[in-house]
Amino acid sequence: MIIISLLFFMTATAISMLWLRDLFAVVMLSGIYSLFAAVIYMVMDAVDVAFTEAAVGAGISTVLMLGTLALTKSKEKVHKKIAYGPLALVLITGGILVYGTLDMPHYGDANAPIHSHVASRYIEKSGLEVGVPNIVTSVLASYRGYDTLGETAVVFTAAIGVLVIIGRRKKKRKKTGAVNDGGDIA
Amino acid sequence: MMHQKSVLRVVSKLLIPPILLFALYVQFHGDFGPGGGFQAGVIFAAAFILYGLIFGIANARRTVPASATRTMLALGVLLYAGTGVWTMLLGGEFLDYNYLASTPIAGQHLGILLVELGVGITVAGAMMSIFYTFAAQTLDGDEDIEEEV
């Protein structure tokens, strides 16, 4: 019941984000959407995921979106023509995704593949092998240490990408007379 | 302009030290409770981003320079991969923490601590670098900012 009402609020937030033209309100609503998602993860006992969603989705990305908003206009341009091609593409993709969820195991199904593969081994043995009370941490940092190294490299690459694309050092106009596009990377 | 927002200034001054402390708690208590390097890094960066939003980007850059955030970015990945190389030098496989200490359990504890610290440092560095870069775009006309970007 809690999850259904939370999902209702999430849907309402998403639809109002679609209707609003004021981008500041849209950014705020996307933060609220992330908070609802975090609460749903919390209800599902995925505390670590909820933590990350609240910190990244509701916190940092809202700030970054506001920073982007300061660079652009805060009103969305209104397009009067309806683009039928993209609309059809979105509807078909969405339909396929919904069709795909029909095959997914029910929430809490004990026979679901994620519960029958290696999860039981982690639950039984991680206390003896790793000795860390939080199984999420022992899976993340020890059993799946390679994956987490890859994730850290992804975060590193993302930040480097941002620095390369918009973090260029601007040549001073007073000295050079013109902005050099090929300025060195800051 | 900034001097008039006294409520924001006072509240953020009260909040920033507990946020940093909470980030350290999440970082080093991740083995026992929810959390870990990623969440801690984000919370740690959030404290500095809050500082930058309230007291101005120039002050935030004076506290943690952009070069320091970029160093953190690389340092975390190096610490993570370096832990793996260290375990190889000690005779194990890459990221096999059992070889780090006298007993496998102690080795696992040390390994997880180092690796999570690496994740935390990289994530905090990444978030602060991205924030600084976005903020520098907004304040393009400011000469002081351009010097340090």
Side-chain angles (χ1 to χ4, degrees):
Chain A
M1 200 60 216
I2 298 172
I3 289 194
I4 289 172
S5 52
L6 281 171
L7 283 174
F8 172 76
F9 279 122
M10 276 179 89
T11 318
T13 317
I15 290 171
S16 49
M17 276 161 75
L18 274 178
W19 280 109
L20 280 173
R21 296 281 171 232
D22 183 8
L23 293 179
F24 179 78
V26 170
V27 170
M28 285 299 143
L29 281 173
S30 74
I32 293 170
Y33 185 87
S34 285
L35 273 183
F36 279 127
V39 175
I40 286 182
Y41 292 138
M42 198 68 211
V43 174
M44 288 174 154
D45 284 341
V47 192
D48 291 78
V49 186
F51 208 156
T52 317
E53 180 67 41
V56 179
I60 299 274
S61 59
T62 308
V63 171
L64 290 181
M65 291 295 258
L66 286 177
T68 318
L69 214 57
L71 301 175
T72 59
K73 287 174 185 165
S74 61
K75 282 274 177 191
E76 189 183 344
K77 268 189 197 165
V78 183
H79 296 284
K80 285 187 180 151
K81 265 177 104 180
I82 299 172
Y84 288 102
L87 182 68
L89 195 68
V90 165
L91 285 178
I92 291 169
T93 317
I96 290 171
L97 287 173
V98 170
Y99 178 70
T101 59
L102 298 178
D103 269 352
M104 277 171 69
H106 289 289
Y107 172 62
D109 186 1
N111 296 319
I114 45 160
H115 297 310
S116 56
H117 189 44
V118 285
S120 51
R121 188 185 180 280
Y122 290 150
I123 292 167
E124 283 161 16
K125 296 267 181 70
S126 77
L128 297 170
E129 287 176 347
V130 185
V132 165
N134 187 358
I135 298 175
V136 176
T137 302
S138 63
V139 172
L140 199 84
S142 186
Y143 289 111
R144 297 291 167 98
Y146 282 19
D147 295 10
T148 310
L149 176 61
E151 282 166 25
T152 314
V154 166
V155 172
F156 173 77
T157 317
I160 294 292
V162 169
L163 286 174
V164 168
I165 293 168
I166 65 170
R168 283 161 188 266
R169 185 192 298 264
K170 294 245 164 61
K171 288 271 163 69
K172 280 186 188 149
R173 279 160 209 244
K174 285 175 199 165
K175 285 174 189 170
T176 54
V179 177
N180 190 345
D181 273 348
D184 48 343
I185 293 153
Chain B
M1 180 80 176
M2 283 291 173
H3 297 282
Q4 292 166 2
K5 298 172 182 166
S6 50
V7 173
L8 283 178
R9 290 170 70 93
V10 170
V11 170
S12 63
K13 261 187 188 172
L14 281 174
L15 276 179
I16 286 169
I19 292 175
L20 288 173
L21 201 63
F22 184 61
L24 292 176
Y25 166 78
V26 170
Q27 173 77 58
F28 294 109
H29 204 258
D31 308 2
F32 305 98
F38 194 84
Q39 292 91 334
V42 170
I43 295 169
F44 199 77
F48 286 100
I49 290 174
L50 177 65
Y51 182 77
L53 286 176
I54 305 291
F55 295 94
I57 305 300
N59 277 327
R61 276 170 189 279
R62 232 165 276 147
T63 321
V64 183
S67 58
T69 62
R70 268 175 273 145
T71 313
M72 282 165 71
L73 195 62
L75 192 72
V77 183
L78 275 178
L79 181 60
Y80 201 132
T83 309
V85 174
W86 188 19
T87 57
M88 283 173 84
L89 291 176
L90 291 171
E93 290 173 351
F94 188 65
L95 291 175
D96 187 354
Y97 312 133
N98 287 357
Y99 292 85
L100 284 177
S102 48
T103 63
I105 294 285
Q108 290 282 345
H109 270 283
L110 182 62
I112 288 176
L113 191 79
L114 288 173
V115 156
E116 291 274 11
L117 192 62
V119 176
I121 291 172
T122 291
V123 170
M127 295 300 164
M128 282 197 267
S129 301
I130 294 174
F131 174 70
Y132 280 167
T133 316
F134 272 76
Q137 294 285 313
T138 342
L139 304 168
D140 245 355
D142 200 327
E143 293 278 318
D144 285 351
I145 302 297
E146 281 187 19
E147 295 270 358
E148 283 182 70
V149 171

